[in-house]
Amino acid sequence: WVNGILEQLKNKETSEGHLTKWYNCNQQKLIPLLQQTFLQLSFDDGARQFLQEHPPVGLHINLMYSFLTIFVSNTDATGYLHMGQTHVISAAQFSYLLNLDNFVRPLKLLDIGSGHGSITDEIKGFFQDILTTEVSSAMISRLKSKGYRCLQTFDPGTSPEVLAETFDIICLFNVLDRCFRPWSLLKNLQNIMKKTEDITGEKAKLLVAVVLPFDAYVEEGTISSEPTEDLPVEGRTFEESANQLCLKVFLPLGFKVIAFSRVPYFSQGDFYHEYYLLNNALFVLEV
C-alpha cells in the first residue's frame, strides 16, 4: 500500500480522496456520544511532509537494530539509531481538535512518552513551556539534545517535579497500551488537570492517542510483560474498541469526551517495509 501512497503523493489532486479513508470511521457503529463529538480530519501537508522527509532506513541500520535488541529494548535501539520516527497529528489538526484559539494566555504542555520528540516538534509552537517524560534512556538523550526538559518516570502523575507545576495541555500519545498501570496513570493525570483548573481558572485538556483495536504490553528490557492493570477494552474493530474505551474507561473515571477522531499512526520504514501504519483513535478529554 505504501508504494501506492508514494505514487499518489506525486499528484496532490488525486491523493486526498484516497488517503482520507484512513481518517474515516463507521459513525453508525459509534455510541451517540462519539457520534456527537467526532471531528473529521484528513490527510494534510503535515502527513505528506512526514512521508516525504522520512525515507526508510537502510539494511545496515536494520542489522544494527537486530544486534542491539539482543541487549536493549526495541525502543532504546530505535533511539540509539535515530530510526522509527513517527507522525500522528499535524500542528493545524492539533489546534483544531483542542480549539486552541480560545486560549488567550501562554500555554504549558506535559508530553508523556515523547519518544524521539518528533510529534513534540510538530506542536511545540503553541507552547511557552514544555515538559516531556520518557522511560527509555536513549529517548531521553534524544529529547534533551533537542533542548526539551525531560524526566525519566514510569508514572508522571506521581512525579514530584510534575506535581509542582500546572499544565494546560497534557498529551498521552500511544502510552495507555504500553504502560504497567494505565488506570492509575489516568487517575493521576485527572488530579493534575483538576489542580490546574483550581489554580488558573481554566480547564486543562488531555489528548489521548491510542492504537485500536487495543493490544497492551510493556517493554522490560528485551522482554515484553503484561500490564499490572488491565483496561477492559476487547473490541474487534476500531469502532467497538473506541466505544468500550469511552464507556468502560474514560466515563467511569469521570472524564468528559470533548472531541474524538481517527488518524493513521505513521512510523518510519526500514529495509523490509517503506512505512508502517496503525489506526489511531484521538480523544480530547476534560474533567
Side-chain angles (χ1 to χ4, degrees):
W1 64 269
V2 174
N3 287 328
I5 288 181
L6 295 177
E7 181 64 29
Q8 290 176 67
L9 287 175
K10 297 176 183 177
N11 187 343
K12 180 177 179 180
E13 293 180 357
T14 63
S15 70
E16 297 295 337
H18 177 69
L19 294 172
T20 295
K21 68 180 182 181
W22 288 312
Y23 295 80
N24 294 339
C25 63
N26 189 338
Q27 295 189 46
Q28 292 182 341
K29 293 186 177 181
L30 296 174
I31 60 173
L33 174 60
L34 294 184
Q35 291 180 12
Q36 296 162 10
T37 56
F38 181 77
L39 295 179
Q40 180 70 61
L41 300 179
S42 62
F43 187 84
D44 66 359
D45 288 339
R48 178 177 289 103
Q49 184 175 354
F50 173 81
L51 291 174
Q52 292 174 334
E53 294 184 356
H54 294 88
V57 299
L59 176 60
H60 67 293
I61 297 295
N62 269 101
L63 294 175
M64 293 173 65
Y65 172 81
S66 297
F67 175 74
L68 280 177
T69 53
I70 299 173
F71 309 100
V72 301
S73 70
N74 294 342
T75 301
D76 276 338
T78 58
Y80 291 133
L81 296 172
H82 298 183
M83 63 184 291
Q85 302 292 327
T86 59
H87 176 84
V88 172
I89 190 171
S90 69
Q93 292 169 340
F94 183 80
S95 178
Y96 173 60
L97 279 180
L98 292 164
N99 198 17
L100 293 185
D101 290 340
N102 283 347
F103 285 92
V104 295
R105 56 189 174 79
L107 300 178
K108 291 182 64 176
L109 169 68
L110 174 60
D111 188 17
I112 299 171
S114 305
H116 288 280
S118 53
I119 300 174
T120 321
D121 292 340
E122 184 75 30
I123 62 176
K124 66 181 181 182
F126 296 108
F127 301 98
Q128 183 182 60
D129 190 17
I130 297 174
L131 177 62
T132 64
T133 78
E134 252 299 336
V135 174
S136 163
S137 297
M139 294 303 187
I140 290 171
S141 296
R142 292 283 294 141
L143 290 163
K144 288 185 176 180
S145 73
K146 292 184 173 185
Y148 292 118
R149 290 195 296 145
C150 188
L151 297 176
Q152 186 171 33
T153 174
F154 281 93
D155 187 351
T158 61
S159 168
E161 293 92 337
V162 173
L163 294 176
E165 303 186 38
T166 60
F167 300 94
D168 304 289
I169 306 293
I170 301 174
C171 286
L172 194 66
F173 287 120
N174 302 300
V175 173
L176 277 185
D177 57 351
R178 295 295 180 266
C179 65
F180 281 109
R181 302 170 63 215
W183 279 109
S184 298
L185 176 59
L186 288 170
K187 290 177 182 177
N188 291 332
L189 294 181
Q190 190 177 65
N191 291 333
I192 293 173
M193 296 168 72
K194 291 177 180 177
K195 174 188 172 184
T196 295
E197 183 176 5
D198 290 342
I199 293 176
T200 67
E202 298 280 354
K203 282 189 174 293
K205 295 184 179 182
L206 172 62
L207 176 56
V208 178
V210 58
V211 171
L212 297 179
F214 194 76
D215 182 20
Y217 70 87
V218 185
E219 286 186 353
E220 282 192 288
T222 58
I223 64 173
S224 296
S225 301
E226 294 293 321
T228 54
E229 297 177 354
D230 292 324
L231 297 184
V233 182
E234 299 176 350
R236 295 183 179 181
T237 67
F238 179 89
E239 291 80 8
E240 288 177 358
S241 301
N243 290 339
Q244 290 184 18
L245 195 55
C246 182
L247 292 172
K248 297 182 178 181
V249 179
F250 297 144
L251 296 183
L253 283 172
F255 285 106
K256 300 175 183 177
V257 179
I258 305 302
F260 164 69
S261 194
R262 178 182 183 175
V263 295
Y265 178 19
F266 289 108
S267 294
Q268 184 182 19
D270 52 23
F271 180 74
Y272 304 101
H273 300 280
E274 291 188 84
Y275 292 94
Y276 291 92
L277 176 71
L278 295 169
N279 287 310
N280 239 4
L282 296 177
F283 295 88
V284 179
L285 307 176
E286 290 182 354
V287 293

Short mmCIF file of all heavy atoms in Angstrom, two decimals, residues 137-165:
data_model
loop_
_atom_site.label_atom_id
_atom_site.label_comp_id
_atom_site.label_asym_id
_atom_site.label_seq_id
_atom_site.Cartn_x
_atom_site.Cartn_y
_atom_site.Cartn_z
N SER A 137 16.11 5.50 28.21
CA SER A 137 17.29 6.36 28.37
C SER A 137 17.74 6.93 27.04
O SER A 137 18.16 8.10 26.95
CB SER A 137 18.44 5.57 29.01
OG SER A 137 18.09 5.14 30.30
N ALA A 138 17.65 6.11 25.99
CA ALA A 138 18.06 6.59 24.66
C ALA A 138 17.16 7.73 24.19
O ALA A 138 17.64 8.72 23.63
CB ALA A 138 18.01 5.43 23.67
N MET A 139 15.86 7.60 24.42
CA MET A 139 14.93 8.65 24.00
C MET A 139 15.11 9.91 24.84
O MET A 139 14.98 11.03 24.33
CB MET A 139 13.49 8.14 24.10
CG MET A 139 13.15 7.02 23.13
SD MET A 139 13.44 7.48 21.40
CE MET A 139 12.75 6.04 20.57
N ILE A 140 15.43 9.75 26.11
CA ILE A 140 15.69 10.91 26.96
C ILE A 140 16.87 11.71 26.42
O ILE A 140 16.85 12.95 26.37
CB ILE A 140 15.92 10.47 28.42
CG1 ILE A 140 14.62 9.96 29.03
CG2 ILE A 140 16.49 11.62 29.26
CD1 ILE A 140 14.78 9.32 30.38
N SER A 141 17.92 11.00 26.01
CA SER A 141 19.08 11.68 25.43
C SER A 141 18.69 12.44 24.17
O SER A 141 19.14 13.57 23.96
CB SER A 141 20.17 10.66 25.11
OG SER A 141 20.66 10.05 26.29
N ARG A 142 17.83 11.84 23.34
CA ARG A 142 17.38 12.50 22.12
C ARG A 142 16.59 13.76 22.44
O ARG A 142 16.79 14.81 21.83
CB ARG A 142 16.51 11.54 21.30
CG ARG A 142 17.25 10.36 20.72
CD ARG A 142 18.07 10.74 19.51
NE ARG A 142 17.22 11.15 18.42
CZ ARG A 142 17.48 12.15 17.58
NH1 ARG A 142 18.57 12.87 17.73
NH2 ARG A 142 16.66 12.44 16.59
N LEU A 143 15.69 13.66 23.42
CA LEU A 143 14.86 14.80 23.78
C LEU A 143 15.70 15.94 24.35
O LEU A 143 15.51 17.11 24.01
CB LEU A 143 13.79 14.37 24.79
CG LEU A 143 12.69 13.46 24.22
CD1 LEU A 143 11.94 12.76 25.35
CD2 LEU A 143 11.72 14.26 23.35
N LYS A 144 16.64 15.60 25.21
CA LYS A 144 17.48 16.64 25.80
C LYS A 144 18.39 17.28 24.75
O LYS A 144 18.68 18.48 24.83
CB LYS A 144 18.30 16.05 26.95
CG LYS A 144 17.47 15.73 28.18
CD LYS A 144 18.33 15.25 29.34
CE LYS A 144 17.48 15.04 30.60
NZ LYS A 144 18.30 14.57 31.75
N SER A 145 18.81 16.50 23.76
CA SER A 145 19.64 17.07 22.70
C SER A 145 18.87 18.08 21.86
O SER A 145 19.46 18.95 21.21
CB SER A 145 20.17 15.94 21.79
OG SER A 145 19.14 15.40 20.97
N LYS A 146 17.53 17.98 21.89
CA LYS A 146 16.68 18.94 21.18
C LYS A 146 16.32 20.14 22.04
O LYS A 146 15.62 21.04 21.59
CB LYS A 146 15.40 18.26 20.71
CG LYS A 146 15.60 17.21 19.61
CD LYS A 146 14.26 16.65 19.15
CE LYS A 146 14.43 15.75 17.95
NZ LYS A 146 13.13 15.29 17.40
N GLY A 147 16.77 20.12 23.29
CA GLY A 147 16.51 21.25 24.17
C GLY A 147 15.27 21.12 25.04
O GLY A 147 14.90 22.07 25.73
N TYR A 148 14.62 19.95 25.05
CA TYR A 148 13.43 19.76 25.86
C TYR A 148 13.79 19.39 27.30
O TYR A 148 14.73 18.61 27.53
CB TYR A 148 12.54 18.66 25.29
CG TYR A 148 11.91 19.00 23.96
CD1 TYR A 148 12.20 18.25 22.82
CD2 TYR A 148 11.01 20.06 23.83
CE1 TYR A 148 11.62 18.54 21.60
CE2 TYR A 148 10.43 20.36 22.62
CZ TYR A 148 10.74 19.60 21.50
OH TYR A 148 10.17 19.90 20.30
N ARG A 149 13.04 19.92 28.24
CA ARG A 149 13.12 19.40 29.61
C ARG A 149 12.54 17.99 29.59
O ARG A 149 11.50 17.75 29.00
CB ARG A 149 12.30 20.26 30.57
CG ARG A 149 12.86 21.63 30.84
CD ARG A 149 12.19 22.25 32.07
NE ARG A 149 10.77 22.48 31.85
CZ ARG A 149 9.83 22.35 32.80
NH1 ARG A 149 10.17 21.95 34.02
NH2 ARG A 149 8.57 22.61 32.53
N CYS A 150 13.19 17.06 30.27
CA CYS A 150 12.72 15.68 30.22
C CYS A 150 12.97 14.98 31.55
O CYS A 150 14.05 15.09 32.14
CB CYS A 150 13.43 14.91 29.11
SG CYS A 150 12.72 13.26 28.85
N LEU A 151 11.93 14.28 32.01
CA LEU A 151 12.01 13.47 33.23
C LEU A 151 11.92 12.00 32.87
O LEU A 151 11.13 11.62 32.01
CB LEU A 151 10.86 13.83 34.18
CG LEU A 151 10.81 15.24 34.74
CD1 LEU A 151 9.54 15.41 35.57
CD2 LEU A 151 12.03 15.53 35.58
N GLN A 152 12.70 11.18 33.55
CA GLN A 152 12.58 9.73 33.39
C GLN A 152 11.66 9.21 34.48
O GLN A 152 12.00 9.20 35.66
CB GLN A 152 13.95 9.05 33.48
CG GLN A 152 13.89 7.57 33.17
CD GLN A 152 15.26 6.94 33.05
OE1 GLN A 152 16.20 7.34 33.73
NE2 GLN A 152 15.41 5.97 32.16
N THR A 153 10.47 8.75 34.07
CA THR A 153 9.49 8.30 35.05
C THR A 153 8.50 7.36 34.39
O THR A 153 8.13 7.53 33.22
CB THR A 153 8.73 9.48 35.67
OG1 THR A 153 7.68 8.99 36.52
CG2 THR A 153 8.13 10.39 34.62
N PHE A 154 8.06 6.33 35.12
CA PHE A 154 7.04 5.42 34.64
C PHE A 154 5.64 6.01 34.82
O PHE A 154 4.73 5.69 34.07
CB PHE A 154 7.12 4.08 35.39
CG PHE A 154 8.20 3.18 34.91
CD1 PHE A 154 9.45 3.19 35.51
CD2 PHE A 154 8.00 2.33 33.84
CE1 PHE A 154 10.47 2.36 35.07
CE2 PHE A 154 9.01 1.48 33.38
CZ PHE A 154 10.25 1.50 34.00
N ASP A 155 5.46 6.87 35.82
CA ASP A 155 4.15 7.47 36.09
C ASP A 155 4.34 8.95 36.40
O ASP A 155 4.59 9.33 37.54
CB ASP A 155 3.46 6.77 37.26
CG ASP A 155 2.02 7.26 37.45
OD1 ASP A 155 1.63 8.24 36.79
OD2 ASP A 155 1.30 6.65 38.25
N PRO A 156 4.24 9.81 35.38
CA PRO A 156 4.43 11.24 35.59
C PRO A 156 3.47 11.82 36.63
O PRO A 156 3.76 12.82 37.26
CB PRO A 156 4.17 11.84 34.21
CG PRO A 156 4.39 10.72 33.27
CD PRO A 156 3.96 9.48 33.98
N GLY A 157 2.30 11.17 36.80
CA GLY A 157 1.31 11.67 37.74
C GLY A 157 1.72 11.58 39.18
O GLY A 157 1.07 12.18 40.06
N THR A 158 2.79 10.86 39.48
CA THR A 158 3.29 10.76 40.85
C THR A 158 4.66 11.41 41.00
O THR A 158 5.24 11.36 42.09
CB THR A 158 3.39 9.28 41.29
OG1 THR A 158 4.31 8.60 40.43
CG2 THR A 158 2.03 8.61 41.21
N SER A 159 5.17 12.00 39.94
CA SER A 159 6.49 12.62 39.99
C SER A 159 6.42 13.97 40.71
O SER A 159 5.61 14.83 40.35
CB SER A 159 7.01 12.85 38.57
OG SER A 159 8.15 13.69 38.57
N PRO A 160 7.27 14.20 41.71
CA PRO A 160 7.26 15.49 42.43
C PRO A 160 7.49 16.67 41.49
O PRO A 160 6.91 17.75 41.67
CB PRO A 160 8.41 15.34 43.43
CG PRO A 160 8.55 13.87 43.63
CD PRO A 160 8.23 13.25 42.30
N GLU A 161 8.35 16.48 40.47
CA GLU A 161 8.63 17.57 39.54
C GLU A 161 7.37 17.95 38.75
O GLU A 161 7.12 19.12 38.50
CB GLU A 161 9.75 17.17 38.57
CG GLU A 161 11.11 17.00 39.24
CD GLU A 161 11.34 15.56 39.67
OE1 GLU A 161 10.35 14.82 39.86
OE2 GLU A 161 12.52 15.17 39.83
N VAL A 162 6.60 16.95 38.36
CA VAL A 162 5.36 17.20 37.62
C VAL A 162 4.31 17.82 38.54
O VAL A 162 3.63 18.78 38.17
CB VAL A 162 4.83 15.91 36.99
CG1 VAL A 162 3.45 16.13 36.37
CG2 VAL A 162 5.80 15.39 35.93
N LEU A 163 4.18 17.27 39.72
CA LEU A 163 3.15 17.74 40.65
C LEU A 163 3.41 19.17 41.12
O LEU A 163 2.49 19.82 41.63
CB LEU A 163 3.08 16.80 41.85
CG LEU A 163 2.60 15.37 41.54
CD1 LEU A 163 2.67 14.50 42.79
CD2 LEU A 163 1.18 15.39 40.99
N ALA A 164 4.62 19.65 40.95
CA ALA A 164 4.94 21.01 41.37
C ALA A 164 4.48 22.05 40.35
O ALA A 164 4.56 23.26 40.62
CB ALA A 164 6.45 21.14 41.59
N GLU A 165 3.98 21.61 39.20
CA GLU A 165 3.61 22.54 38.13
C GLU A 165 2.14 22.35 37.74
O GLU A 165 1.48 21.41 38.17
CB GLU A 165 4.50 22.31 36.90
CG GLU A 165 5.99 22.45 37.18
CD GLU A 165 6.83 22.36 35.93
OE1 GLU A 165 6.37 22.90 34.88
OE2 GLU A 165 7.93 21.77 35.97
#
